[in-house]
Amino acid sequence: MESTKSKPRDSTGSDLSEQIKAATKDSHVRAENTQLMLNHQKGQITQTQYKLLLCSLYEIYRALEEELDRNADHPAVQPVYFPQELARLESLELDLEHFFGPHWRKRVTVPAATHRYTQRLREIGKNSPDLLVAHAYTRYLGDLSGGQVLGKITQKSLGLSGIKGIAFFSFPGVTSPNKFKQLYRGRMNSIELTEQQRQEVLDEATRAFEFNIEVFDDLQKMLSITEEASSEKRNDTASQSQSRTFSNSPILQFALGVGITLATVGMGVYAF
Ligand code: HEM
């Protein structure tokens, strides 16, 4: 028997955009309250922390946007396909180049959680493109909401000028984030889904938040160990001169931290 497609829109609060917001409400609170996001909101993000976050965002958006591009004509992707307005990959490339220089590609390092997240994106892009909307919603509407505040905080905390290093937060193709979010919600609501597909999208959105939380937690673990290592080094009087060399070189400090994390946590770090 053919399954019944649900009505694209109605006025009883059963629009996909409303359901997805309700379904991910608790996850949103948890994501906001991860240590990394709390520090970020308080303006306590260091350049090392931000660079590590950018590396993970780069791999996440590379997977998300390649899968959206590949499925651009799919009926559940086409209504929410806005590469001109939303695509983040090029801005992340600019930010990474700003911080790491022209050979930034060799410096992209991510924890295991980021790798699991991108694997999931590749898998659904290949086998269940209906679910891509859940991931696009989670990232892009987040970037257009709290992300806008985080951009300003990052700029101030790191003393950056203009758009350099914070291109990720800037959406030149979106004049009003609020109006664009309304348009996006309307497009989400126009996607025809069976009840089963709709439930799968809602479950996938919760999963998308979970992936983000796991990435933030893994990054926080890497960073805590990096900071501990730096502070141990500073306290080690026997190796004072070496310590100064590391703390004077952000790139060495970054590599040192990641290396120590690999050895200590054993959680898997992927360099691309
Ligand atoms: C510092 C952490 C965060 C803050 C302060 C924050 C803040 C906000 C605020 C104020 C809104 C409401 C905007 C509105 O109603 O127009 C919002 C919406 C949203 N946020 Fe966040 N957020 C944070 C982290 C995240 C994270 C980590 C994600 C996902 C990865 C996320 C995903 C979303 C989504 C998808 C929406 C749209 C909800 C909807 O209208 O359906 N947020 N956020």
Side-chain angles (χ1 to χ4, degrees):
M1 197 178 71
E2 204 181 307
S3 14
T4 329
K5 297 269 180 188
S6 59
K7 273 192 294 173
R9 260 177 176 282
D10 69 24
S11 57
T12 60
S14 62
D15 282 346
L16 180 63
S17 68
E18 289 174 29
Q19 290 180 327
I20 206 164
K21 186 169 187 170
T24 57
K25 196 168 170 245
D26 292 350
S27 307
H28 187 275
V29 173
R30 288 181 44 236
E32 261 183 298
N33 287 299
T34 52
Q35 198 56 51
L36 191 74
M37 286 298 118
L38 286 174
N39 289 349
H40 206 154
Q41 287 173 79
K42 283 189 258 168
Q44 290 171 353
I45 190 156
T46 64
Q47 187 163 299
T48 306
Q49 291 171 333
Y50 182 57
K51 281 158 66 180
L52 207 46
L53 176 62
L54 285 177
C55 287
S56 279
L57 290 173
Y58 169 73
E59 288 304 333
I60 293 162
Y61 282 93
R62 190 154 72 99
L64 176 63
E65 291 176 1
E66 282 175 12
E67 294 311 321
L68 288 171
D69 290 347
R70 222 155 49 78
N71 290 285
D73 295 328
H74 187 282
V77 173
Q78 195 272 330
V80 291
Y81 185 63
F82 287 101
Q84 296 289 335
E85 291 82 357
L86 296 180
R88 300 289 81 207
L89 196 58
E90 277 181 27
S91 40
L92 282 163
E93 289 174 355
L94 286 175
D95 291 343
L96 287 166
E97 190 173 358
H98 171 78
F99 287 113
F100 289 110
H103 305 296
W104 62 269
R105 278 177 207 277
K106 291 188 197 137
R107 311 293 317 282
V108 173
T109 310
V110 303
T114 306
H115 195 59
R116 288 196 297 274
Y117 188 175
T118 60
Q119 275 181 323
R120 177 65 184 159
L121 288 166
R122 301 284 182 200
E123 186 194 324
I124 65 167
K126 201 166 158 224
N127 302 319
S128 334
D130 286 342
L131 301 182
L132 281 173
V133 61
H135 287 275
Y137 160 82
T138 301
R139 283 298 339 172
Y140 292 129
L141 259 58
D143 298 335
L144 287 171
S145 304
Q148 294 304 288
V149 182
L150 291 182
K152 293 194 183 90
I153 294 175
T154 309
Q155 188 179 38
K156 207 171 160 206
S157 319
L158 302 185
L160 301 167
S161 61
I163 204 178
K164 281 189 183 147
I166 50 158
F168 169 70
F169 298 104
S170 163
F171 288 84
V174 175
T175 324
S176 155
N178 280 338
K179 280 193 186 138
F180 189 85
K181 281 191 286 183
Q182 271 170 24
L183 167 72
Y184 196 91
R185 290 183 189 113
R187 293 294 191 86
M188 286 174 75
N189 297 339
S190 77
I191 299 173
E192 288 202 2
L193 297 167
T194 64
E195 276 315 314
Q196 191 189 331
Q197 287 169 327
R198 178 179 285 250
Q199 191 53 54
E200 284 168 3
V201 169
L202 299 180
D203 293 344
E204 190 65 26
T206 310
R207 219 165 159 183
F209 270 86
E210 204 54 50
F211 279 120
N212 279 277
I213 291 168
E214 287 174 12
V215 169
F216 300 150
D217 286 347
D218 260 12
L219 289 177
Q220 191 59 43
K221 277 185 224 156
M222 289 170 84
L223 292 162
S224 308
I225 291 163
T226 309
E227 275 149 25
E228 257 172 50
S230 308
S231 115
E232 271 168 29
K233 275 211 160 290
R234 272 194 299 276
N235 294 338
D236 183 357
T237 46
S239 59
Q240 250 179 4
S241 63
Q242 193 193 2
S243 172
R244 263 198 300 277
T245 314
F246 279 118
S247 48
N248 285 345
S249 162
I251 291 187
L252 273 177
Q253 209 176 37
F254 187 73
L256 170 78
V258 170
I260 289 171
T261 305
L262 238 185
T264 318
V265 183
M267 65 188 179
V269 172
Y270 296 81
F272 291 83

